[in-house]
Amino acid sequence: MNHLEVTTRSPQATQDLGYHIGKLVVPGDIILLVGNLGTGKTCLTQGIARGLGIKEHAVSPSFTLVKELYGRLPLYHMDFYRLDNIAEIMELGLEDYLYGNGVCVIEWAEKGLGELPEEHLLIQLSYLPDDGRSFRLQPKGKHYRDIITQLKAALDQQPGQDKPC
Ligand SMILES: Nc1ncnc2c1ncn2[C@@H]1O[C@H](COP(=O)(O)OP(=O)(O)OP(=O)(O)O)[C@@H](O)[C@H]1O
Ligand SMILES: [Mg+2]
């Protein structure tokens, strides 16, 4: 699959989408979240954390750039919101996270797109007019195409949920 569009109508549904993603990811996976303030990046990450079996509540890592959470796999939750430029990002030495054995989820990833691994799952979040949210998942590389194919199958099995287009 080349891309997948999913809509959610509640924070719970956003978390559930994240949960299914968290179930599918493997060590070294990179998920880049791009979307305006309040579109649901942290909410989605909370679901991913739950899917990874993490008990701790994921909050935006505002004061540290990276928050490490541990479940089935480590989750490295990053937020680039306060970073001004790409050089600054690279000076922070994120390689150990990006090329490690955990799963990286990066909010405001657009600030570092050129410097981040070429293969990743890009998720673009936006507001719907009725206050729901839309998620456009764009896989870069075969591994991530396989993930969204499996994700679609998992979402299709959920009764009563918003269906992906
Ligand atoms: N489908 C939805 N419908 C309505 N509200 C939602 C939906 N999904 C998430 N929300 C809510 O949107 C609000 C903002 O979510 P969240 O904090 O995750 O956004 P964010 O993208 O991380 O924001 P920031 O850019 O500040 O980091 C939260 O109150 C969350 O519960
Ligand atoms: Mg956030």
Side-chain angles (χ1 to χ4, degrees):
M1 281 184 72
N2 288 330
H3 77 275
L4 179 64
E5 298 240 4
V6 183
T7 58
T8 67
R9 305 272 164 203
S10 67
Q12 182 61 50
T14 298
Q15 281 204 14
D16 287 348
L17 171 62
Y19 173 82
H20 287 291
I21 296 170
K23 285 274 181 199
L24 292 169
V25 286
V26 300
D29 278 357
I30 310 275
I31 301 175
L32 307 184
L33 305 182
V34 171
N36 281 339
L37 276 172
T39 43
K41 299 178 290 296
T42 302
C43 188
L44 186 73
T45 307
Q46 286 163 351
I48 295 172
R50 198 157 52 80
L52 283 167
I54 291 163
K55 301 280 178 266
E56 205 179 324
H57 188 63
V59 290
S60 254
S62 310
F63 299 106
T64 51
L65 184 69
V66 185
K67 179 91 167 87
E68 300 178 23
L69 298 162
Y70 293 91
R72 169 173 73 82
L73 300 171
L75 170 63
Y76 305 129
H77 181 194
M78 307 182 204
D79 192 332
F80 288 176
Y81 182 64
R82 284 181 178 76
L83 297 184
D84 291 329
N85 59 56
I86 292 167
E88 190 184 342
I89 291 172
M90 291 329 284
E91 279 166 20
L92 294 164
L94 298 176
E95 286 84 358
D96 288 353
Y97 293 112
L98 293 170
Y99 300 100
N101 285 323
V103 174
C104 290
V105 176
I106 307 179
E107 299 193 38
W108 294 96
E110 62 268 48
K111 295 204 176 193
L113 267 190
E115 302 292 331
L116 293 167
E118 223 168 89
E119 298 219 341
H120 55 250
L121 177 60
L122 177 67
I123 305 183
Q124 291 179 303
L125 299 84
S126 41
Y127 289 103
L128 292 172
D130 64 356
D131 196 39
R133 303 288 191 271
S134 95
F135 300 82
R136 184 181 169 86
L137 290 81
Q138 293 177 265
K140 301 284 159 68
K142 180 179 184 305
H143 169 65
Y144 296 97
R145 284 197 296 278
D146 290 347
I147 286 190
I148 65 161
T149 302
Q150 289 173 273
L151 177 64
K152 183 174 186 318
L155 295 174
D156 282 347
Q157 281 180 0
Q158 273 190 296
Q161 288 289 322
D162 292 340
K163 294 283 187 250
C165 310

